[in-house]
CSV table of all heavy atoms in Angstrom, one decimal:
chain,number,residue,atom,x,y,z
A,1,ASN,N,-18.3,7.7,6.9
A,1,ASN,CA,-19.4,7.0,6.2
A,1,ASN,C,-19.3,5.4,6.4
A,1,ASN,O,-19.3,4.7,5.4
A,1,ASN,CB,-19.5,7.4,4.7
A,1,ASN,CG,-18.3,7.0,4.0
A,1,ASN,OD1,-17.2,6.9,4.5
A,1,ASN,ND2,-18.4,6.7,2.7
A,2,ARG,N,-19.3,5.0,7.6
A,2,ARG,CA,-19.2,3.6,8.0
A,2,ARG,C,-20.1,3.4,9.3
A,2,ARG,O,-20.2,4.4,10.1
A,2,ARG,CB,-17.8,3.2,8.3
A,2,ARG,CG,-16.9,3.2,7.0
A,2,ARG,CD,-17.3,2.2,6.0
A,2,ARG,NE,-16.4,2.2,4.9
A,2,ARG,CZ,-16.5,2.9,3.7
A,2,ARG,NH1,-17.5,3.7,3.6
A,2,ARG,NH2,-15.6,2.8,2.8
A,3,GLY,N,-20.7,2.3,9.4
A,3,GLY,CA,-21.5,2.0,10.6
A,3,GLY,C,-22.6,3.0,10.8
A,3,GLY,O,-23.3,3.4,9.8
A,4,GLN,N,-22.7,3.5,12.0
A,4,GLN,CA,-23.7,4.5,12.3
A,4,GLN,C,-23.2,5.9,12.3
A,4,GLN,O,-23.7,6.8,12.9
A,4,GLN,CB,-24.5,4.2,13.6
A,4,GLN,CG,-25.3,3.0,13.5
A,4,GLN,CD,-26.4,2.9,14.6
A,4,GLN,OE1,-26.9,3.9,15.1
A,4,GLN,NE2,-26.8,1.7,14.9
A,5,GLY,N,-22.0,6.1,11.7
A,5,GLY,CA,-21.5,7.4,11.4
A,5,GLY,C,-20.6,8.0,12.4
A,5,GLY,O,-19.4,8.3,12.1
A,6,ILE,N,-21.1,8.3,13.6
A,6,ILE,CA,-20.2,9.0,14.6
A,6,ILE,C,-19.1,8.1,15.0
A,6,ILE,O,-19.2,7.0,15.6
A,6,ILE,CB,-21.1,9.4,15.8
A,6,ILE,CG1,-22.2,10.2,15.4
A,6,ILE,CG2,-20.2,10.1,16.8
A,6,ILE,CD1,-21.9,11.5,14.7
A,7,SER,N,-17.9,8.6,14.8
A,7,SER,CA,-16.6,7.9,15.2
A,7,SER,C,-16.1,8.3,16.6
A,7,SER,O,-15.7,7.4,17.4
A,7,SER,CB,-15.6,8.1,14.2
A,7,SER,OG,-14.3,7.7,14.6
A,8,SER,N,-16.2,9.6,16.9
A,8,SER,CA,-15.7,10.1,18.2
A,8,SER,C,-16.3,11.4,18.4
A,8,SER,O,-16.6,12.2,17.5
A,8,SER,CB,-14.2,10.1,18.2
A,8,SER,OG,-13.7,10.9,17.1
A,9,PHE,N,-16.4,11.8,19.7
A,9,PHE,CA,-16.9,13.1,20.1
A,9,PHE,C,-16.4,13.4,21.5
A,9,PHE,O,-16.1,12.5,22.3
A,9,PHE,CB,-18.4,13.2,20.0
A,9,PHE,CG,-19.2,12.3,20.9
A,9,PHE,CD1,-19.7,12.8,22.1
A,9,PHE,CD2,-19.5,11.0,20.5
A,9,PHE,CE1,-20.4,11.9,22.9
A,9,PHE,CE2,-20.2,10.2,21.4
A,9,PHE,CZ,-20.7,10.7,22.6
A,10,GLY,N,-16.4,14.7,21.8
A,10,GLY,CA,-16.0,15.2,23.1
A,10,GLY,C,-16.0,16.7,23.2
A,10,GLY,O,-16.5,17.3,22.4
A,11,ILE,N,-15.3,17.2,24.3
A,11,ILE,CA,-15.2,18.7,24.4
A,11,ILE,C,-13.8,19.1,24.5
A,11,ILE,O,-12.9,18.3,24.9
A,11,ILE,CB,-16.0,19.1,25.7
A,11,ILE,CG1,-15.4,18.5,26.9
A,11,ILE,CG2,-17.5,18.8,25.5
A,11,ILE,CD1,-16.0,19.0,28.2
A,12,GLU,N,-13.5,20.3,24.2
A,12,GLU,CA,-12.2,21.0,24.4
A,12,GLU,C,-11.1,20.4,23.5
A,12,GLU,O,-10.5,21.0,22.7
A,12,GLU,CB,-11.8,20.9,25.8
A,12,GLU,CG,-12.6,21.8,26.7
A,12,GLU,CD,-12.1,21.7,28.2
A,12,GLU,OE1,-11.1,21.2,28.5
A,12,GLU,OE2,-12.8,22.3,29.1
A,13,SER,N,-10.7,19.1,23.7
A,13,SER,CA,-9.6,18.5,23.0
A,13,SER,C,-9.7,17.0,23.0
A,13,SER,O,-10.6,16.4,23.6
A,13,SER,CB,-8.3,18.9,23.6
A,13,SER,OG,-8.1,18.4,24.9
A,14,LYS,N,-8.7,16.3,22.4
A,14,LYS,CA,-8.6,14.9,22.5
A,14,LYS,C,-8.6,14.3,23.9
A,14,LYS,O,-9.0,13.2,24.1
A,14,LYS,CB,-7.4,14.4,21.7
A,14,LYS,CG,-7.4,14.7,20.2
A,14,LYS,CD,-6.1,14.2,19.6
A,14,LYS,CE,-6.0,14.6,18.1
A,14,LYS,NZ,-4.7,14.2,17.5
A,15,ASP,N,-8.1,15.1,24.8
A,15,ASP,CA,-8.0,14.7,26.2
A,15,ASP,C,-9.3,14.8,27.0
A,15,ASP,O,-9.4,14.4,28.1
A,15,ASP,CB,-7.0,15.5,27.0
A,15,ASP,CG,-5.5,15.2,26.5
A,15,ASP,OD1,-5.3,14.1,26.1
A,15,ASP,OD2,-4.7,16.1,26.6
A,16,ARG,N,-10.4,15.2,26.3
A,16,ARG,CA,-11.7,15.3,26.9
A,16,ARG,C,-12.7,14.5,26.0
A,16,ARG,O,-13.8,15.0,25.8
A,16,ARG,CB,-12.1,16.8,27.1
A,16,ARG,CG,-11.3,17.6,28.0
A,16,ARG,CD,-11.6,17.2,29.5
A,16,ARG,NE,-10.8,18.0,30.4
A,16,ARG,CZ,-9.6,17.7,30.9
A,16,ARG,NH1,-9.0,16.7,30.4
A,16,ARG,NH2,-9.0,18.5,31.7
A,17,ALA,N,-12.3,13.4,25.5
A,17,ALA,CA,-13.1,12.6,24.7
A,17,ALA,C,-14.2,11.8,25.5
A,17,ALA,O,-13.9,11.4,26.6
A,17,ALA,CB,-12.3,11.6,23.8
A,18,ILE,N,-15.4,11.7,24.9
A,18,ILE,CA,-16.4,10.8,25.5
A,18,ILE,C,-16.4,9.5,24.8
A,18,ILE,O,-16.5,8.4,25.3
A,18,ILE,CB,-17.8,11.5,25.4
A,18,ILE,CG1,-17.8,12.8,26.2
A,18,ILE,CG2,-18.9,10.5,25.9
A,18,ILE,CD1,-19.0,13.7,26.1
A,19,LEU,N,-16.2,9.5,23.4
A,19,LEU,CA,-15.9,8.4,22.6
A,19,LEU,C,-14.5,8.6,22.0
A,19,LEU,O,-14.3,9.7,21.4
A,19,LEU,CB,-17.0,8.2,21.5
A,19,LEU,CG,-16.9,7.0,20.6
A,19,LEU,CD1,-16.9,5.7,21.4
A,19,LEU,CD2,-17.9,7.1,19.5
A,20,GLU,N,-13.6,7.7,22.2
A,20,GLU,CA,-12.2,7.9,21.9
A,20,GLU,C,-12.0,8.5,20.5
A,20,GLU,O,-12.5,8.0,19.5
A,20,GLU,CB,-11.4,6.6,22.0
A,20,GLU,CG,-9.9,6.7,21.8
A,20,GLU,CD,-9.2,5.4,21.8
A,20,GLU,OE1,-9.9,4.4,22.2
A,20,GLU,OE2,-8.0,5.3,21.5
A,21,PHE,N,-11.1,9.5,20.4
A,21,PHE,CA,-10.8,10.1,19.1
A,21,PHE,C,-9.9,9.1,18.4
A,21,PHE,O,-8.9,8.6,18.9
A,21,PHE,CB,-10.0,11.4,19.3
A,21,PHE,CG,-9.6,12.0,18.0
A,21,PHE,CD1,-10.5,12.7,17.2
A,21,PHE,CD2,-8.3,11.8,17.5
A,21,PHE,CE1,-10.1,13.2,16.0
A,21,PHE,CE2,-7.9,12.4,16.3
A,21,PHE,CZ,-8.8,13.0,15.5
A,22,LEU,N,-10.2,8.9,17.1
A,22,LEU,CA,-9.4,8.0,16.2
A,22,LEU,C,-9.2,8.8,15.0
A,22,LEU,O,-10.0,9.5,14.4
A,22,LEU,CB,-10.2,6.7,15.9
A,22,LEU,CG,-10.4,5.7,17.1
A,22,LEU,CD1,-11.3,4.6,16.6
A,22,LEU,CD2,-9.1,5.2,17.7
A,23,PRO,N,-8.0,8.6,14.4
A,23,PRO,CA,-7.7,9.2,13.1
A,23,PRO,C,-8.6,8.5,12.0
A,23,PRO,O,-9.0,7.4,12.3
A,23,PRO,CB,-6.2,9.0,12.8
A,23,PRO,CG,-5.9,7.9,13.7
A,23,PRO,CD,-6.8,8.0,14.9
A,24,ALA,N,-8.8,9.1,10.9
A,24,ALA,CA,-9.7,8.6,9.9
A,24,ALA,C,-9.4,7.2,9.5
A,24,ALA,O,-10.4,6.4,9.4
A,24,ALA,CB,-9.7,9.6,8.7
A,25,ASN,N,-8.1,6.9,9.2
A,25,ASN,CA,-7.9,5.5,8.7
A,25,ASN,C,-8.3,4.4,9.7
A,25,ASN,O,-8.7,3.3,9.3
A,25,ASN,CB,-6.4,5.3,8.4
A,25,ASN,CG,-5.5,5.6,9.5
A,25,ASN,OD1,-5.8,6.3,10.5
A,25,ASN,ND2,-4.3,4.9,9.5
A,26,LYS,N,-8.2,4.7,11.0
A,26,LYS,CA,-8.6,3.8,12.0
A,26,LYS,C,-10.2,3.9,12.2
A,26,LYS,O,-10.8,2.9,12.5
A,26,LYS,CB,-7.9,4.0,13.4
A,26,LYS,CG,-6.4,3.6,13.3
A,26,LYS,CD,-5.8,3.8,14.7
A,26,LYS,CE,-4.3,3.4,14.6
A,26,LYS,NZ,-3.7,3.6,16.0
A,27,ALA,N,-10.7,5.1,12.1
A,27,ALA,CA,-12.1,5.2,12.3
A,27,ALA,C,-12.9,4.4,11.3
A,27,ALA,O,-14.0,3.9,11.6
A,27,ALA,CB,-12.5,6.7,12.2
A,28,TYR,N,-12.4,4.4,10.0
A,28,TYR,CA,-13.1,3.6,9.0
A,28,TYR,C,-13.3,2.2,9.4
A,28,TYR,O,-14.3,1.5,9.1
A,28,TYR,CB,-12.4,3.7,7.6
A,28,TYR,CG,-12.3,5.1,7.1
A,28,TYR,CD1,-11.1,5.5,6.5
A,28,TYR,CD2,-13.3,6.0,7.1
A,28,TYR,CE1,-10.9,6.8,6.0
A,28,TYR,CE2,-13.2,7.3,6.6
A,28,TYR,CZ,-12.0,7.7,6.0
A,28,TYR,OH,-11.8,8.9,5.5
A,29,ARG,N,-12.3,1.6,10.1
A,29,ARG,CA,-12.4,0.2,10.5
A,29,ARG,C,-13.1,0.0,11.8
A,29,ARG,O,-13.8,-1.1,12.0
A,29,ARG,CB,-10.9,-0.3,10.7
A,29,ARG,CG,-10.0,-0.2,9.5
A,29,ARG,CD,-8.8,-1.0,9.6
A,29,ARG,NE,-7.9,-0.6,10.8
A,29,ARG,CZ,-6.9,0.2,10.7
A,29,ARG,NH1,-6.6,0.7,9.5
A,29,ARG,NH2,-6.2,0.5,11.7
A,30,ALA,N,-13.1,1.0,12.7
A,30,ALA,CA,-13.6,0.7,14.1
A,30,ALA,C,-15.0,1.2,14.3
A,30,ALA,O,-15.7,0.7,15.3
A,30,ALA,CB,-12.6,1.4,15.1
A,31,THR,N,-15.5,2.2,13.5
A,31,THR,CA,-16.8,2.8,13.8
A,31,THR,C,-17.9,1.8,13.9
A,31,THR,O,-18.9,1.9,14.7
A,31,THR,CB,-17.1,3.9,12.8
A,31,THR,OG1,-16.0,4.9,12.9
A,31,THR,CG2,-18.4,4.6,13.2
A,32,SER,N,-17.9,0.8,13.0
A,32,SER,CA,-19.0,-0.2,12.9
A,32,SER,C,-19.1,-1.0,14.2
A,32,SER,O,-20.2,-1.5,14.6
A,32,SER,CB,-18.8,-1.1,11.7
A,32,SER,OG,-18.9,-0.4,10.5
A,33,THR,N,-18.0,-1.2,14.9
A,33,THR,CA,-18.0,-2.0,16.1
A,33,THR,C,-17.9,-1.2,17.4
A,33,THR,O,-18.5,-1.5,18.4
A,33,THR,CB,-16.9,-3.0,16.1
A,33,THR,OG1,-15.6,-2.3,15.9
A,33,THR,CG2,-17.0,-4.0,15.0
A,34,GLN,N,-17.2,-0.1,17.4
A,34,GLN,CA,-17.0,0.7,18.6
A,34,GLN,C,-17.9,2.0,18.7
A,34,GLN,O,-18.0,2.6,19.8
A,34,GLN,CB,-15.6,1.2,18.7
A,34,GLN,CG,-14.6,0.1,18.9
A,34,GLN,CD,-13.1,0.5,18.9
A,34,GLN,OE1,-12.2,-0.2,18.6
A,34,GLN,NE2,-12.9,1.8,19.2
A,35,GLY,N,-18.6,2.3,17.6
A,35,GLY,CA,-19.5,3.4,17.6
A,35,GLY,C,-20.9,3.0,18.1
A,35,GLY,O,-21.1,1.9,18.6
A,36,PHE,N,-21.9,3.9,17.8
A,36,PHE,CA,-23.3,3.5,18.2
A,36,PHE,C,-23.8,2.3,17.5
A,36,PHE,O,-23.5,2.1,16.3
A,36,PHE,CB,-24.2,4.7,17.9
A,36,PHE,CG,-24.0,5.9,18.8
A,36,PHE,CD1,-23.3,7.0,18.4
A,36,PHE,CD2,-24.6,5.9,20.1
A,36,PHE,CE1,-23.1,8.1,19.2
A,36,PHE,CE2,-24.4,7.0,20.9
A,36,PHE,CZ,-23.7,8.1,20.5
A,37,ARG,N,-24.5,1.5,18.2
A,37,ARG,CA,-25.0,0.2,17.6
A,37,ARG,C,-26.5,0.0,18.0
A,37,ARG,O,-26.9,0.4,19.1
A,37,ARG,CB,-24.1,-1.0,17.9
A,37,ARG,CG,-22.7,-0.8,17.5
A,37,ARG,CD,-21.9,-2.0,17.8
A,37,ARG,NE,-22.2,-3.2,16.9
A,37,ARG,CZ,-21.5,-4.3,17.0
A,37,ARG,NH1,-20.5,-4.5,17.8
A,37,ARG,NH2,-21.9,-5.3,16.2
A,38,THR,N,-27.2,-0.7,17.2
A,38,THR,CA,-28.6,-1.0,17.5
A,38,THR,C,-28.9,-2.4,17.2
A,38,THR,O,-28.5,-3.0,16.1
A,38,THR,CB,-29.6,-0.1,16.6
A,38,THR,OG1,-29.2,1.3,16.7
A,38,THR,CG2,-31.0,-0.3,16.9
A,39,PHE,N,-29.5,-3.1,18.1
A,39,PHE,CA,-29.8,-4.6,18.0
A,39,PHE,C,-31.4,-4.8,18.1
A,39,PHE,O,-31.9,-4.3,19.1
A,39,PHE,CB,-29.1,-5.4,19.0
A,39,PHE,CG,-27.6,-5.3,18.9
A,39,PHE,CD1,-26.9,-4.4,19.6
A,39,PHE,CD2,-26.9,-6.1,18.0
A,39,PHE,CE1,-25.5,-4.3,19.5
A,39,PHE,CE2,-25.5,-6.0,17.9
A,39,PHE,CZ,-24.8,-5.1,18.6
């Protein structure tokens, strides 16, 4: 529940990420800048 929501996604496992998998504590900090953005 930060930024535009989606922190990471991919297929199969962490080794097939399209947007890098981050643990929750890092995701709270990074999603607003590294996730989807609209200007």
Side-chain angles (χ1 to χ4, degrees):
N1 62 330
R2 296 293 185 266
Q4 292 201 25
I6 302 300
S7 168
S8 52
F9 63 97
I11 60 172
E12 293 181 6
S13 69
K14 296 177 185 179
D15 290 331
R16 294 290 184 268
I18 298 171
L19 182 60
E20 181 184 355
F21 177 80
L22 296 174
N25 62 330
K26 292 184 178 180
Y28 299 137
R29 302 193 299 264
T31 301
S32 296
T33 54
Q34 295 177 204
F36 288 101
R37 301 181 71 176
T38 307
F39 298 93

